[in-house]
Amino acid sequence: MSHTKALPLLDPEGQDGRGAAPCCPPLTERPMNAEEAETAARMFKALGDPVRLRLFSAVASHEGGEACVCDISDVGVSQPTVSHHLKKLKEAGLLSSERRGTWVYYRVEPSVLAAMGRLLTAPPAV
Amino acid sequence: MSHTKALPLLDPEGQDGRGAAPCCPPLTERPMNAEEAETAARMFKALGDPVRLRLFSAVASHEGGEACVCDISDVGVSQPTVSHHLKKLKEAGLLSSERRGTWVYYRVEPSVLAAMGRLLTAPPAV
């Protein structure tokens, strides 16, 4: 139940190279169970802060879907605050990071974004 | 800036029956500005709680996209707590409600769901 630490919506290890699978059905398909809701709520919560959302969209929309702190620090908060929020996004599994030389580069996990998008997919008109 | 109280992602009044327009571009399109981020973060935050998410999915997946409290109170919390969370979802613009006789019926705003889904739309592969 409580073993998922990173990338909670996905199981990147267990998918045999096919790309990761989403944890949860579309919200409109059936009621979520407690475990699914825990997992998905963690990611929505991470995006539930305006500064984090701006940083996330700054990374997501940056060339190549990747940015270093130096590229995205114009959101009106201090760099330590930027780093704090980037860490939170990383812990929620929404960003991955890699150090190259002086800078840490952040990258959006497109499969996570797609899984969240699927959660919110509206059903076909009835 | 701070006039949006309900349905923050949409402007249901101003769309002339064409359906409401989303507030924000896909997260991957360009960095969000402060106002867009405020608006969208409010809705993500509302879904950032496991109980709220379960209630929301219970309403969203219920027959006809509509449910009364009597239909969806099996999420393991008291009915006052259910009502509290439904109110929060309503304030965030994710649900609308209507009293009919004894019960209040909650309905998912499909256009809001669609707008949130668009926010998370991944760009075409580059």
Side-chain angles (χ1 to χ4, degrees), chain B residues 122-126:
Chain B
V126 189

Side-chain angles (χ1 to χ4, degrees), chain A residues 27-28 31-32 37 54 57 61, chain B residues 27-28 30-32 37 54 57 61:
Chain A
L27 288 169
T28 52
M32 272 189 173
R54 289 188 72 188
S57 89
S61 62
Chain B
L27 288 170
T28 52
R30 61 167 171 77
M32 273 188 173
R54 289 186 73 188
S57 91
S61 62

Side-chain angles (χ1 to χ4, degrees), chain A residues 26-34 36-45 47-51 53-54 56-58 60-62 108 110 113-114 116-117 119-123, chain B residues 26-34 36-45 47-51 53-54 56-58 60-62 108 110 113-114 116-117 119-123:
Chain A
L27 288 169
T28 52
E29 197 174 288
R30 61 167 172 77
M32 272 189 173
N33 64 38
E36 291 166 342
E38 281 287 345
T39 300
R42 210 176 311 154
M43 309 198 79
F44 284 122
K45 194 174 177 183
L47 295 180
D49 175 277
V51 174
L53 200 48
R54 289 188 72 188
F56 185 74
S57 89
S61 62
H62 204 260
V108 166
L113 206 61
M116 290 187 79
L119 267 179
L120 294 168
T121 302
Chain B
L27 288 170
T28 52
E29 197 174 290
R30 61 167 171 77
M32 273 188 173
N33 64 37
E36 291 166 341
E38 282 286 345
T39 300
R42 209 175 312 153
M43 309 197 79
F44 284 124
K45 194 174 176 184
L47 295 180
D49 175 277
V51 172
L53 200 48
R54 289 186 73 188
F56 185 74
S57 91
S61 62
H62 204 260
V108 167
L113 206 61
M116 290 187 80
L119 266 180
L120 295 167
T121 302

Side-chain angles (χ1 to χ4, degrees), chain B residues 21-116:
Chain B
C23 88
C24 308
L27 288 170
T28 52
E29 197 174 290
R30 61 167 171 77
M32 273 188 173
N33 64 37
E35 198 176 352
E36 291 166 341
E38 282 286 345
T39 300
R42 209 175 312 153
M43 309 197 79
F44 284 124
K45 194 174 176 184
L47 295 180
D49 175 277
V51 172
R52 275 206 291 278
L53 200 48
R54 289 186 73 188
L55 287 170
F56 185 74
S57 91
V59 174
S61 62
H62 204 260
E63 214 181 314
E66 184 184 77
C68 83
V69 181
C70 55
D71 294 320
I72 54 170
S73 38
D74 57 344
V75 296
V77 295
S78 69
Q79 185 159 330
T81 303
V82 168
S83 296
H84 165 78
H85 283 303
L86 289 171
K87 188 164 166 249
K88 290 279 173 192
L89 287 165
K90 214 179 130 183
E91 283 169 3
L94 291 165
L95 294 179
S96 59
S97 70
E98 190 189 343
R99 178 174 287 279
R100 281 184 236 136
T102 316
W103 295 104
V104 177
Y105 287 79
Y106 292 87
R107 170 173 285 281
V108 167
E109 292 292 338
S111 52
V112 176
L113 206 61
M116 290 187 80

